[in-house]
Amino acid sequence: MSILAVDSVVAGYGETEILHGISMRIEPGEAVTIFGPNGCGKSTLMKTIFGLLTPKQGSIVFEDSDITGMPTDRLIRMGMSYVPQTGNIFPSLTIEENLEMGAFVDDTDVDAQISEMYRIFPDLERSRRQRAGSLSGGQRQMLAFGRALMLRPRLLMLDEPSAGLSPIMAQLIFDRLRDIRSTGVAILIIEHNIRTALAMSDRGYVLADGQNQLEGSASGLLDNPEIGRLYLGGRIHDEHAE
């Protein structure tokens, strides 16, 4: 049984339709990368899955429950977390307070979970009393991951986790994502660093004009000459307008 199944979803903003019947799936413990040109609907798809947008058509199933149009707070309780590209921490709160906020729907074993986040992200523990707004970009991303993991999600969705980071810090972020994946958490990722994202993924989906263009194994997509020509020959620009 897939942990997530998206079937023929149509969605957008008001009268503007961005997704034109997209389908995809994620298996338990799997890592899946979504990529494609700017404006193709990657972020819109992720927001629709997470209940921030309501689909006009199609269905979304999480584990064995139809979650189509379900409110975000219910999805969090069911085991889904989402880290947007921006606005993913509380700058005025300390690192530890941010982690505590990550457990807002279930405050049992908070101390144990915070200790686990410090084990995964040791840099955070060293600055646990520091206000999040003073952190570096990489530290902010690690804090955002930690906050999203506080409720032990079974699916973690990430929108451009390495955007704006130095190559060294971006590699550290992907190393941490591999650690997270090793715990059995399924990961859905949008990432401009496509080659690196596919290297840690099982499968990938290519979107174009709000529709499925291609899907396949991560290794197959990396070896595909057309994918290489269109997407892997240079840096894909950050996506802001989806």
Side-chain angles (χ1 to χ4, degrees), residues 30-44:
E30 196 176 38
V32 172
T33 293
I34 302 174
F35 63 100
N38 290 347
C40 70
K42 303 184 292 291
S43 294
T44 300

Side-chain angles (χ1 to χ4, degrees), residues 82-200:
Y82 167 57
V83 179
Q85 182 177 347
T86 60
N88 51 29
I89 61 168
F90 298 103
S92 63
L93 301 181
T94 66
I95 286 175
E96 192 147 307
E97 288 168 342
N98 267 271
L99 293 176
E100 290 170 351
M101 288 294 294
F104 72 102
V105 299
D106 183 0
D107 59 4
T108 58
D109 295 328
V110 171
D111 291 342
Q113 268 304 93
I114 289 177
S115 295
E116 176 64 10
M117 293 307 103
Y118 288 154
R119 185 191 67 78
I120 298 174
F121 307 108
D123 283 354
L124 298 183
E125 183 173 20
R126 288 190 283 269
S127 307
R128 61 196 300 171
R129 304 301 181 192
Q130 186 174 336
R131 293 198 181 278
S134 66
L135 300 176
S136 69
Q139 289 172 321
R140 286 184 178 219
Q141 284 298 75
M142 284 188 275
L143 177 56
F145 296 168
R147 192 163 67 86
L149 292 168
M150 281 294 292
L151 290 173
R152 301 180 180 89
R154 292 180 296 285
L155 173 63
L156 177 64
M157 299 191 295
L158 307 166
D159 192 347
E160 298 282 6
S162 76
L165 301 183
S166 68
I168 293 175
M169 188 56 70
Q171 186 58 57
L172 178 60
I173 289 296
F174 278 103
D175 289 343
R176 292 295 174 268
L177 287 178
R178 290 184 179 90
D179 293 340
I180 292 168
R181 188 190 170 194
S182 70
T183 67
V185 177
I187 296 176
L188 176 62
I189 184 171
I190 297 169
E191 175 57 47
H192 66 271
N193 191 344
I194 298 169
R195 192 181 300 276
T196 303
L198 285 175
M200 63 157 284

Side-chain angles (χ1 to χ4, degrees), residues 221-234:
L221 292 173
L222 283 169
D223 291 339
N224 185 308
E226 185 68 6
I227 294 299
R229 183 181 68 83
L230 291 174
Y231 301 111
L232 303 180

